[in-house]
């Protein structure tokens, strides 16, 4: 039976996407979305800061506290761009752009940043050149030697194993040095997590599938095309992409003129026009139960209202959902994964013409330190001005934006600038603007065995008292990217009709 009323808990991207798609799929159902914060969008925060240039003119710069660019591989996000008419505000970076090609790592014990080879030719040149040559790169050598050996390494996945950490997986196939440098860097950049704890099947399922497809060889598996879509099923409706898919041809990444927050704003504008949708900001759920007599959900709220609905979608963090349930109706594995905290620091500098504060490129990541070096507080740094300069006025050429991500709160801005200067190999001036965002418990760390635990959770939700009418979605269940969250919302309630 189709739902007549739906409650959505959580107004981040997952909850907003769910409200958008459910209101289209069930136009006769009354939908109520609860969000504990007055502002919607979760960890997406885009805003402008005023700045005065050297000549006295006032302008503004766009600062992001959360995600700042997106890759065009999520059809669910491209669909929203089409349906919400966001194409006019798109800003794209072509594959040939230096911001797309040039990405760096900072290795302890080395000077400045090391560029990651971005093409087979650059990999060969940097990996095979003599160490005395300026063309030689230690990253190229490590990467080339590991990739060249991997196809000849026999199948070495332990028998009966169903999951392992990213570090264990990459160490098996490419060696421990490769796993520490490249695997930990990627885990830092996406999950702000330790790759030794992160599930490879949950975080990077394409790696596990490629090894299976290549009969033990990851490289061989990637050379063999996969005929199975990672997310779509035969029951999913086709994506309504319009001409957005064509706009993304040859594009490496994109954002919007007013930042990723434009996606949140467009969703809110659309939802507020729909008569069957009610958005309650600053109102959180305080309890969730199923009335055994009516089989309806009863949701108590911080505004002392009790919602009664036929169906419910939970898009709040899993530990928060656990706090809403009584011990008699508890759900499994809601606290199995810890959450990473990330401090995001926006830095804006005024620079002199001809003086570069960073190399041309997207930014850099800091891998896990070897046993000879101490761990660095900085996880990575994005060169915002290089990839999204179009978000600023043309006369802002003297402005340089960077965003540093740290594993711990900032205690001293001068000390942070000193650390960044050392990593970049330049002397950074005093920043004109500093914005610090302490994003506490913002990214779930999907530990080994996560997929099996989520399947067990799904099985319990099909039984009594839930009967398939409660869906639990979000970053703590699926992937953590913007695309993963929007896709989860799109697929919510697909079995309710």
């Amino acid at each position: 039976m189709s739902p007549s009323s739906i409650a959505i808990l959580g107004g981040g991207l997952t909850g907003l996407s769910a409200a958008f798609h459910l209101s289209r799929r069930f136009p006769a159902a009354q939908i109520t979305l609860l969000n504990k914060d007055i502002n919607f969008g979760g960890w997406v925060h885009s805003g402008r800061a005023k700045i005065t240039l050297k000549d006295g003119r006032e302008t503004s710069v766009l600062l992001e506290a959360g995600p700042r660019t997106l890759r065009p591989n999520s059809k669910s996000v491209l669909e929203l761009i089409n349906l919400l008419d966001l194409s006019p505000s798109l800003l794209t970076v072509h594959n040939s752009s230096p911001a797309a090609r040039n990405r760096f790592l900072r290795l302890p014990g080395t000077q400045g940043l090391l560029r990651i080879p971005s093409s087979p030719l650059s990999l060969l040149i940097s990996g095979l050149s003599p160490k005395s040559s300026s063309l030689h790169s230690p990253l190229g050598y490590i990467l080339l030697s590991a990739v060249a050996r991997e196809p000849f390494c026999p199948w070495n996945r332990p028998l009966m194993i169903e999951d392992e950490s990213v570090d264990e997986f990459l160490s098996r196939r490419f060696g421990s040095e490769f796993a520490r440098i490249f695997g930990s860097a990627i885990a830092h950049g996406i999950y702000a997590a330790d790759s030794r704890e992160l599930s490879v099947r949950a975080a990077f399922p394409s790696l596990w599938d490629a090894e299976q497809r290549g009969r033990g060889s990851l490289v061989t598996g990637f050379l063999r095309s996969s005929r199975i879509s990672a997310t779509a099923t035969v029951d999913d409706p086709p994506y309504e992409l319009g001409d957005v898919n064509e706009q993304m041809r040859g594009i490496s990444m994109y954002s919007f003129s007013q930042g990723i927050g434009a996606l949140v704003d467009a969703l809110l504008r659309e939802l507020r026009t729909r008569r069957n949708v009610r958005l309650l900001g600053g109102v959180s759920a305080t309890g969730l139960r199923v009335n055994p007599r009516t089989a309806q959900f009863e949701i108590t709220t911080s505004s002392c209202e009790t919602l009664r609905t036929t169906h419910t979608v939970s898009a709040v963090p899993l530990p928060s959902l656990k706090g809403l349930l009584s011990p008699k109706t508890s759900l499994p594995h809601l606290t199995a994964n810890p959450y990473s905290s990330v401090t995001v620091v926006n830095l804006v500098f005024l620079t002199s013409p001809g003086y570069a504060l960073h190399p041309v490129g997207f930014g850099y990541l800091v891998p896990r330190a070897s046993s000879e070096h101490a761990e660095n507080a900085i996880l990575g740094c994005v060169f915002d001005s290089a990839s999204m300069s179009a978000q600023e006025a043309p006369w802002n050429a003297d402005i340089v934006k960077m965003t540093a991500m740290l594993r711990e709160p900032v205690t001293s801005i001068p000390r942070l600038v000193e650390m960044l200067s050392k990593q970049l190999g330049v002397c950074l001036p005093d920043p004109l603007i500093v914005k610090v965002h302490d994003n506490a418990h913002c990214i779930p760390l999907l530990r080994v065995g996560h997929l099996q635990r989520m399947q067990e959770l799904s099985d319990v939700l099909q039984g009594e008292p839930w009967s398939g009418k409660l869906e639990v979605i979000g970053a703590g269940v699926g992937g953590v990217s913007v695309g993963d969250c929007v896709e989860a919302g799109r697929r919510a309630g697909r079995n309710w009709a």
Side-chain angles (χ1 to χ4, degrees), residues 110-134:
T110 60
Q111 294 296 319
L113 304 180
L114 298 176
R115 181 174 175 268
I116 303 172
S118 59
S119 68
L121 180 60
S122 65
L123 176 61
L124 287 171
I125 293 175
S126 62
L128 295 177
S129 297
K131 290 185 178 181
S132 58
S133 169
S134 61

Side-chain angles (χ1 to χ4, degrees), residues 45-67:
H45 295 286
S46 306
R48 289 196 170 272
K50 292 183 178 181
I51 193 172
T52 302
L53 301 177
K54 293 178 180 177
D55 58 8
R57 285 182 297 179
E58 288 192 351
T59 184
S60 67
V61 292
L62 183 74
L63 304 178
E64 299 272 21

Side-chain angles (χ1 to χ4, degrees), residues 46-326:
S46 306
R48 289 196 170 272
K50 292 183 178 181
I51 193 172
T52 302
L53 301 177
K54 293 178 180 177
D55 58 8
R57 285 182 297 179
E58 288 192 351
T59 184
S60 67
V61 292
L62 183 74
L63 304 178
E64 299 272 21
R68 60 208 59 250
T69 56
L70 305 175
R71 288 193 172 275
N73 55 1
S74 170
K75 291 184 177 180
S76 58
V77 180
L78 301 186
E79 180 180 54
L80 286 185
I81 293 173
N82 175 49
L83 296 176
L84 299 173
D85 195 25
L86 285 170
S87 291
S89 65
L90 272 175
L91 300 176
T92 58
V93 177
H94 197 270
N95 287 329
S96 60
S97 167
R101 297 196 320 267
N102 298 339
R103 295 166 187 263
F104 304 87
L105 294 183
R106 163 63 183 181
L107 300 185
T110 60
Q111 294 296 319
L113 304 180
L114 298 176
R115 181 174 175 268
I116 303 172
S118 59
S119 68
L121 180 60
S122 65
L123 176 61
L124 287 171
I125 293 175
S126 62
L128 295 177
S129 297
K131 290 185 178 181
S132 58
S133 169
S134 61
L135 298 176
H136 175 80
S137 165
L139 290 184
Y141 176 79
I142 295 169
L143 188 58
L144 180 61
S145 59
V147 171
R149 288 195 305 264
E150 196 272 345
F152 303 99
C153 176
W155 176 281
N156 60 357
R157 182 189 296 175
L159 293 175
M160 306 301 291
I161 189 173
E162 296 184 357
D163 195 7
E164 60 187 324
S165 73
V166 172
D167 188 77
E168 289 170 330
F169 179 89
L170 294 178
S171 294
R172 268 200 306 108
R173 298 309 310 169
F174 297 106
S176 59
E177 185 179 35
F178 178 99
R180 180 182 63 79
I181 293 175
F182 293 100
S184 70
I186 294 173
H188 286 170
I190 300 175
Y191 289 89
D194 190 333
S195 61
R196 294 169 292 189
E197 295 186 60
L198 190 63
S199 160
V200 68
R201 291 197 67 186
F204 306 107
S206 62
L207 298 181
W208 184 272
D209 295 340
E211 184 190 35
Q212 190 76 26
R213 199 164 56 245
R215 298 179 180 179
S217 170
L218 196 65
V219 173
T220 303
F222 275 120
L223 294 176
R224 294 176 178 170
S225 61
S226 173
R227 300 179 182 178
I228 302 175
S229 169
T231 57
T233 70
V234 293
D235 297 325
D236 286 334
Y239 295 95
E240 300 175 51
L241 300 178
D243 62 354
V244 176
N245 208 33
E246 185 63 29
Q247 287 180 267
M248 293 295 171
R249 191 177 300 276
I251 298 302
S252 172
M253 66 187 105
Y254 66 92
S255 184
F256 306 95
S257 57
Q258 299 304 319
I260 303 299
L263 186 60
V264 173
D265 294 340
L267 280 167
L268 289 172
R269 281 195 303 270
E270 177 63 26
L271 289 171
R272 284 167 177 152
T273 67
R274 300 193 176 181
R275 294 184 177 180
N276 66 326
V277 176
R278 182 169 63 137
L279 301 175
L280 299 180
V283 178
S284 60
T286 57
L288 171 65
R289 67 183 290 267
V290 177
N291 187 312
R293 184 174 59 84
T294 64
Q296 285 193 327
F297 290 94
E298 293 182 349
I299 302 166
T300 55
T301 72
S302 59
S303 62
C304 300
E305 178 184 1
T306 299
L307 297 177
R308 293 176 175 83
T309 64
T310 60
H311 295 71
T312 296
V313 175
S314 174
V316 298
L318 298 187
S320 299
L321 175 59
K322 180 180 176 63
L324 304 180
L325 304 173
S326 72

Side-chain angles (χ1 to χ4, degrees), residues 376 378 410-422:
N376 200 293
I378 298 175
V410 175
T411 57
S412 167
I413 296 301
R415 173 58 181 153
L416 172 61
V417 173
E418 180 185 342
M419 292 167 62
L420 290 170
S421 296
K422 182 178 180 180

